[in-house]
Amino acid sequence: GAGVSQSPSNKVTEKGKDVELRCDPISGHTALYWYRQSLGQGLEFLIYFQGNSAPDKSGLPSDRFSAERTGGSVSTLTIQRTQQEDSAVYLCASSLNSGGLNEQFFGPGTRLTVL
Amino acid sequence: AQSVTQPDIHITVSEGASLELRCNYSYGATPYLFWYVQSPGQGLQLLLKYFSGDTLVQGIKGFEAEFKRSQSSFNLRKPSVHWSDAAEYFCAVGPNYNTDKLIFGTGTRLQVFP
């Protein structure tokens, strides 16, 4: 079956522009996560959605970052007024349910480059 | 606070040699522990996970890991490395009862020479 998909695969933008990154989770998965992978930094949690509950936004680095999940499926991560330090690979993951026993399946990521 | 340390940034081994990748964690309770692999241009793939029970866990692609509570470690091992194992490996801890986020280490890049 289809895995987690993300678009675009690559995005180059100019400093100060807004960008939107899209994630399509595995069908039927109720939990959706966004992580950021910066060079030499490992993966950093950004935000987590579970069903209709309020999202866990504790990892968002600034108020320029926001995310939404429409209809409990597709999610969009928006970065406003991009900065060079936002350059990274943004990874989306989904799991069947929340909780540690549920494996998170990762998408291929969106590589964002801010010039 | 939860944290994961992977002390080796880069490891090089010869094909057929054994491999051990180190992972140490800091966690206030019994952790859930994971190893993921990221091949070039690919997403992360789960190799194995530990939740409870037997401290030696088997994963895919011939990998295994051992949970040692006394050492706060969860090292990944493989008895004989193949060239296709060249990739980046991430250790992670969590989720726990109050958050579903995974805390990742900074990764270990494995290079395999023929």
Side-chain angles (χ1 to χ4, degrees):
Chain A
V4 177
S5 60
Q6 293 185 245
S7 61
S9 55
N10 281 282
K11 176 72 176 179
V12 180
T13 190
E14 294 178 348
K15 178 181 173 181
K17 300 284 189 183
D18 298 351
V19 296
E20 286 189 350
L21 311 180
R22 177 187 168 104
C23 172
D24 283 86
I26 293 172
S27 178
H29 280 194
T30 63
L32 186 147
Y33 313 78
W34 283 98
Y35 295 88
R36 178 170 69 175
Q37 185 176 19
S38 303
L39 191 61
Q41 299 276 335
L43 282 86
E44 171 192 17
F45 166 78
L46 296 177
I47 188 169
Y48 153 65
F49 297 88
Q50 170 54 42
N52 295 321
S53 302
D56 176 355
K57 304 180 183 179
S58 60
L60 294 179
S62 77
D63 58 7
R64 296 186 295 105
F65 287 72
S66 63
E68 62 177 20
R69 188 178 185 191
T70 55
S73 180
V74 172
S75 177
T76 302
L77 177 69
T78 300
I79 309 173
Q80 296 179 307
R81 307 181 301 282
T82 52
Q83 303 295 311
Q84 288 184 334
E85 61 262 29
D86 300 333
S87 296
V89 176
Y90 290 81
L91 293 167
C92 176
S94 70
S95 63
L96 187 60
N97 287 300
S98 61
L101 298 179
N102 293 279
E103 178 181 347
Q104 295 183 23
F105 294 84
F106 284 79
T110 293
R111 180 175 298 277
L112 174 65
T113 302
V114 181
L115 301 177
Chain B
Q2 303 168 48
S3 66
V4 177
T5 302
Q6 293 182 249
D8 304 306
I9 297 173
H10 186 204
I11 283 182
T12 301
V13 299
S14 298
E15 190 170 19
S18 63
L19 173 71
E20 183 168 25
L21 302 182
R22 296 183 290 165
C23 172
N24 292 94
Y25 65 90
S26 174
Y27 198 78
T30 301
Y32 294 163
L33 294 160
F34 306 81
W35 274 99
Y36 283 84
V37 60
Q38 186 178 36
S39 299
Q42 306 280 323
L44 275 78
Q45 181 182 22
L46 181 67
L47 283 176
L48 46 77
K49 59 191 175 187
Y50 170 78
F51 291 153
S52 65
D54 193 345
T55 56
L56 184 64
V57 293
Q58 303 295 322
I60 62 171
K61 304 186 180 186
F63 285 91
E64 66 178 26
E66 186 170 12
F67 169 59
K68 293 186 177 180
R69 184 188 302 275
S70 61
Q71 299 177 19
S72 297
S73 70
F74 188 57
N75 293 349
L76 182 71
R77 301 194 295 247
K78 186 169 185 178
S80 178
V81 170
H82 188 263
W83 64 267
S84 60
D85 293 324
E88 188 142 21
Y89 292 80
F90 293 92
C91 181
V93 66
N96 66 18
Y97 67 95
N98 66 350
T99 175
D100 276 29
K101 63 185 180 184
L102 292 172
I103 306 297
F104 284 87
T106 51
T108 298
R109 181 165 296 280
L110 174 66
Q111 192 170 9
V112 180
F113 281 118

